[in-house]
Amino acid sequence: RAKEDGRNTVRFFEPWMQHAITARTRLIAELRRALDAGQFVLYYQPQVEDGHLMGAEALLRWRHPERGLVGPGEFIGVAEHAELILPIGAWVMRAACEQLARWAACPRSAHLTMAVNISIRQLMEDNFVRDTLDAIAATGARPTHLKLEVTESMVIERVEETISKMEQLQRHGVRFSLDDFGTGYSSLAYLKRLPLEQLKIDRSFVRDILVDPNDASIARSVVALARALGLSIIAEGVETAAQRDMLREIGCHRFQGYFFGKPMPAEEFDAALAAETIP
Ligand code: C2E
Ligand code: MG
Ligand code: MG
Ligand code: MG
């Protein structure tokens, strides 16, 4: 049969395609079960301002029974396409707010803010504002200590609707940070209209900031832009003291990265807090 078709014929379904589809279908089913089985967990990475711990970013992990700890890079994309991001995102919001309320109850951690990553699919949902306020109310978390991280690529769609939802939450004190800034397609025209509190310089500009003059220039420009728009600025992916010093020099005083602490389970985060080993 292959001979008849000739060498250049492409059948509609190549075996590898079937494999990919099967793997994807299996992953979707597995993710659904993982949510029910309580296999998701949030890790918390310190966010530091001028040598003081200011808060944490909640980062999703999957405690897979066979594969161990699986990072979001391996499943968030698939979850987004399968709409599974909605129940998963709701779980993340609830768990992050619960942790935020626990921190609020202890004097040592009462000041901490919680950054939560939000997917475009969540923000486009009609119930997003109400569900978020419900999670806040149900857990007793303070909305002023909640920071939602959205990415540039996602806010570009349906701008009016997005801005309206962000403003509704903002009226309750919730703040917004623009994640991975510089990697998407920012339109400065709508950037100024988004109710943001913070820009987050993407890790890709921080990595070579000491050796690549272009990266340093971009970081400098992002800081200047944030300042012009009245926004605060944080750098992600800070791995060395030298990177931190350079960022300070250009006017960035909030940091997140392995240099200050890796993402860790709540118990470990609290232990580090008690031992004063972070930042
Ligand atoms: P992000 O929001 O930009 O998060 C920062 C990522 O950089 C995290 O990867 C973090 O572990 C990693 N990171 C932090 N410091 C350093 C550093 O110094 N060096 C290096 N090389 N990496 C560092 P992670 O946890 O694998 O998350 C990847 C992405 O998955 C996140 O990027 C975010 O876009 C998404 N994500 C994570 N949790 C959630 C979630 O609950 N919901 C949604 N929708 N997306 C999530
Ligand atoms: Mg983030
Ligand atoms: Mg980021
Ligand atoms: Mg990133």
Side-chain angles (χ1 to χ4, degrees):
R1 175 113 182 89
K3 219 172 200 166
E4 282 170 42
D5 286 350
R7 292 213 178 273
N8 296 324
T9 308
V10 176
R11 279 165 298 180
F12 185 69
F13 271 111
E14 294 289 336
W16 67 264
M17 286 179 170
Q18 193 54 53
H19 279 303
I21 291 166
T22 310
R24 199 185 149 87
T25 309
R26 198 186 299 128
L27 178 58
I28 291 166
E30 256 194 304
L31 284 168
R32 218 167 252 137
R33 277 198 302 273
L35 190 59
D36 293 336
Q39 290 172 2
F40 289 113
V41 62
L42 291 181
Y43 272 41
Y44 302 93
Q45 184 176 33
Q47 296 187 328
V48 170
E49 176 163 28
D50 280 329
H52 295 282
L53 184 67
M54 57 174 278
E57 177 175 7
L59 293 159
L60 186 58
R61 301 287 181 265
W62 176 9
R63 275 198 187 124
H64 194 284
E66 285 109 44
R67 291 160 64 201
L69 206 61
V70 180
E74 295 192 42
F75 61 85
I76 284 285
V78 168
E80 276 172 345
H81 282 287
E83 306 248 311
L84 258 176
I85 195 64
L86 298 176
I88 292 175
W91 179 87
V92 168
M93 186 67 76
R94 179 66 186 237
C97 285
E98 279 170 3
Q99 186 58 48
L100 189 54
R102 276 194 289 271
W103 281 339
C106 174
R108 187 162 42 220
S109 53
H111 65 288
L112 297 180
T113 58
M114 180 73 79
V116 179
N117 291 286
I118 296 299
S119 155
I120 180 73
R121 275 301 287 115
Q122 291 173 268
L123 201 55
M124 287 303 126
E125 222 21 47
D126 285 339
N127 295 336
F128 180 72
V129 173
R130 204 194 58 210
D131 289 351
T132 303
L133 294 174
D134 282 354
I136 289 168
T139 55
R142 285 167 302 173
T144 50
H145 287 54
L146 184 63
K147 194 171 286 188
L148 303 187
E149 296 200 351
V150 298
T151 55
E152 279 179 275
S153 52
M154 67 183 254
V155 285
I156 203 103
E157 286 175 73
R158 296 207 245 164
V159 179
E160 301 302 328
E161 193 184 324
T162 305
I163 291 175
S164 156
K165 283 184 178 152
M166 289 170 74
E167 282 173 350
Q168 288 173 57
L169 285 167
Q170 191 197 34
R171 267 179 243 127
H172 287 86
V174 175
R175 287 175 282 182
F176 287 89
S177 176
L178 197 54
D179 206 350
D180 304 332
F181 189 72
T183 60
Y185 336 79
S186 296
S187 153
L188 299 181
Y190 85 84
L191 184 60
K192 70 167 188 190
R193 297 179 49 212
L194 294 175
L196 297 171
E197 188 266 329
Q198 176 180 271
L199 294 185
K200 202 169 195 185
I201 305 179
D202 190 63
R203 184 166 85 221
S204 60
F205 306 118
V206 173
R207 193 181 47 227
D208 297 325
I209 197 166
L210 295 162
V211 291
D212 186 337
N214 289 334
D215 284 337
S217 297
I218 290 169
R220 231 181 271 277
S221 306
V222 175
V223 171
L225 181 63
R227 212 171 261 159
L229 294 171
L231 306 176
S232 61
I233 188 97
I234 186 169
E236 67 174 13
V238 182
E239 296 184 353
T240 66
Q243 288 171 338
R244 177 204 56 195
D245 293 343
M246 175 70 171
L247 284 158
R248 269 193 186 139
E249 212 171 283
I250 67 174
C252 175
H253 299 275
R254 287 184 184 176
F255 314 101
Q256 182 181 343
Y258 296 163
F259 178 71
F260 299 94
K262 294 206 167 181
M264 52 195 133
E267 314 79 64
E268 204 179 308
F269 192 95
D270 290 344
L273 196 63
E276 292 179 25
T277 54
I278 33 177

